[in-house]
Amino acid sequence: MPEHVSILQQVGLAILVVATVAWVVGLVRLVRAVAVAPPGPSRLPAGALPAQSQAPAVESVPLTADEQDAFAGLVRQFSRG
């Protein structure tokens, strides 16, 4: 290494290289695991997520006349482009 490069810069470079190699190895393992997994709607193990017991309730809020007018104005603005 050139003599103007400090030991901290050399250590930092070594840490970055090790982190990059670890990231690439992890990414390759992940891609291989996904490629080998059987196709299907979900690749999660059974029981990983709880079953949804019922659909969530639809929420609505009544609007005042002024709010309805403001909303209609926004719709007109957006429809004009």
Side-chain angles (χ1 to χ4, degrees), residues 17-77:
V17 168
V18 169
T20 302
V21 169
W23 179 78
V24 169
V25 167
L27 184 64
V28 167
R29 290 182 68 190
L30 178 67
V31 168
R32 286 185 182 170
V34 169
V36 172
S42 174
R43 295 179 183 192
L44 294 174
L49 297 175
Q52 190 171 355
S53 59
Q54 62 182 359
V58 177
E59 296 182 14
S60 64
V61 177
L63 298 178
T64 65
D66 290 338
E67 291 171 332
Q68 289 177 354
D69 290 341
F71 183 73
L74 283 174
V75 169
R76 283 193 296 274
Q77 283 181 344

